[in-house]
Amino acid sequence: MQVSGNTVLITGGASGIGLALAERFVKAGSTVIVCGRREGKLQEAKERLPGLHTRVCDVANEKERQALVEWVAEAFPNLNVLVNNAGIQQHIHLASAHEAWSRYQQEIAINLEAPIHLTLLLLPHLLRQQQPAIVNISSGLAVTPAVWAPIYSATKAGLRSFTISLRMQTEGSGLQVIEVLPPAVNTDLGGPGLHTFGAPVDAFADSVFAQLEEGRIEIGYGGTEERLNATKAEIEAAVRAMWQGFLGRNPDFQKTTKSS
């Protein structure tokens, strides 16, 4: 993928993985627009990267997604790269999930509905551009689900499936369809402090950017790329080991619902 000279829209780009990728695209000479729900976080991102363009948008909301696309197409007609990065993660014990459906539905809306809808809205525009690309940030959990985050894992598996379909449907169009499968990365996904054990965000972003430049269409890090070639038995064993490890660290999980 060409990383310079682009006009890039990154959802959830005010912090974490999104901001780290935004920084690298800016340094490579691309125009970068990031959107997020919190204006304060967007302002902090702009102070860190003065050349950044920002837009408040809750991608869980259909009307706000439509408004985002209308605005960006008018303000940045050369937009040629969409990075679907926004995501939230909730730890849910299914037998104790008694909160309003809207809480759980939001995870589906942000993680799966939003990237599919934004792709549908922007695809005709992107296909008219030079060097168009869609980069979907899924997860290693798309392959080996985290049992304690069942909705999150399901949305990422769904996004991976959608990405494969999109890639095949657009073969020969010039559109590059890229999937990034992060491991646990040290960000605030799921809540502050939950992923402090994860990979350093800058090391992860550096690796992703290098693989983008190499032309990779499936990008892993820290072992997630190896999961793509794992057997069914290996995947099941990994999922069970992850689950047992989580329960060992969170012995009360099955007694209560934990969500962030």
Side-chain angles (χ1 to χ4, degrees), residues 138-140 142-144 160 164 179-181 216-220 223-231 234-235:
S138 66
S139 171
V143 182
T144 53
R160 172 165 171 73
I164 293 169
E179 180 184 10
V180 179
L181 298 96
R216 297 281 299 275
I217 61 171
E218 290 185 334
I219 296 175
T224 61
E225 66 274 33
E226 297 171 1
R227 302 183 199 184
L228 299 174
N229 297 312
T231 65
E234 289 170 336
I235 290 171

Side-chain angles (χ1 to χ4, degrees), residues 69-91:
V69 168
E70 291 170 4
W71 170 79
V72 78
E74 181 176 350
F76 300 92
N78 294 324
L79 177 77
N80 67 314
V81 178
L82 168 64
V83 181
N84 284 308
N85 167 75
I88 62 170
Q89 184 185 105
Q90 301 182 88
H91 293 182

Side-chain angles (χ1 to χ4, degrees), residues 28-48:
S30 288
T31 298
V32 181
I33 310 106
V34 301
C35 70
R37 291 179 292 172
R38 294 174 289 178
E39 188 169 4
K41 280 290 185 182
L42 290 169
Q43 184 58 39
E44 289 176 13
K46 194 171 180 62
E47 290 171 1
R48 175 172 164 178

Side-chain angles (χ1 to χ4, degrees), residues 11 140 150 176-177 182 215:
T11 66
Q176 289 184 284
V177 180

Side-chain angles (χ1 to χ4, degrees), residues 1-25:
M1 173 184 172
Q2 177 179 305
V3 297
S4 62
N6 295 305
T7 302
V8 185
L9 171 62
I10 303 176
T11 66
S15 61
I17 290 172
L19 182 58
L21 293 177
E23 183 175 16
R24 282 150 184 80
F25 273 114

Side-chain angles (χ1 to χ4, degrees), residues 237-253:
V239 170
R240 186 166 296 280
M242 290 162 55
W243 176 225
Q244 293 304 320
F246 177 85
L247 290 178
R249 298 187 300 273
N250 301 272
D252 294 330
F253 176 76

Side-chain angles (χ1 to χ4, degrees), residues 9-227:
L9 171 62
I10 303 176
T11 66
S15 61
I17 290 172
L19 182 58
L21 293 177
E23 183 175 16
R24 282 150 184 80
F25 273 114
V26 168
K27 289 181 177 178
S30 288
T31 298
V32 181
I33 310 106
V34 301
C35 70
R37 291 179 292 172
R38 294 174 289 178
E39 188 169 4
K41 280 290 185 182
L42 290 169
Q43 184 58 39
E44 289 176 13
K46 194 171 180 62
E47 290 171 1
R48 175 172 164 178
L49 298 172
L52 201 63
H53 302 274
T54 63
R55 170 85 174 188
V56 176
C57 176
D58 180 0
V59 296
N61 184 289
E62 179 183 354
K63 291 183 178 179
E64 291 196 30
R65 293 193 298 263
Q66 291 172 329
L68 170 67
V69 168
E70 291 170 4
W71 170 79
V72 78
E74 181 176 350
F76 300 92
N78 294 324
L79 177 77
N80 67 314
V81 178
L82 168 64
V83 181
N84 284 308
N85 167 75
I88 62 170
Q89 184 185 105
Q90 301 182 88
H91 293 182
I92 301 170
H93 183 239
L94 296 171
S96 304
H98 302 312
E99 297 186 51
W101 168 245
S102 58
R103 180 176 181 86
Y104 309 120
Q105 190 272 339
Q106 185 184 43
E107 193 167 8
I108 299 170
I110 292 174
N111 295 2
L112 183 59
E113 181 181 319
I116 292 175
H117 189 203
L118 288 172
T119 295
L120 296 179
L121 291 172
L122 281 169
L123 190 56
H125 173 89
L126 293 174
L127 291 173
R128 294 193 296 268
Q129 308 306 309
Q130 296 294 317
Q131 303 293 330
I134 294 177
V135 181
N136 287 332
I137 310 298
S138 66
S139 171
L141 301 183
V143 182
T144 53
V147 177
W148 59 93
I151 295 177
Y152 179 86
S153 300
T155 61
K156 293 302 183 178
L159 183 57
R160 172 165 171 73
S161 175
F162 177 76
T163 303
I164 293 169
S165 297
L166 175 65
R167 185 182 296 129
M168 289 192 179
Q169 282 201 15
T170 57
E171 280 181 349
S173 69
L175 178 74
Q176 289 184 284
V177 180
I178 300 160
E179 180 184 10
V180 179
L181 298 96
V185 177
N186 190 357
T187 68
D188 283 346
L189 178 68
L194 286 184
H195 287 93
T196 55
F197 63 88
V201 66
D202 283 328
F204 168 75
D206 285 340
S207 176
V208 168
F209 218 68
Q211 292 182 72
L212 286 174
E213 290 186 282
E214 291 170 4
R216 297 281 299 275
I217 61 171
E218 290 185 334
I219 296 175
Y221 182 84
T224 61
E225 66 274 33
E226 297 171 1
R227 302 183 199 184

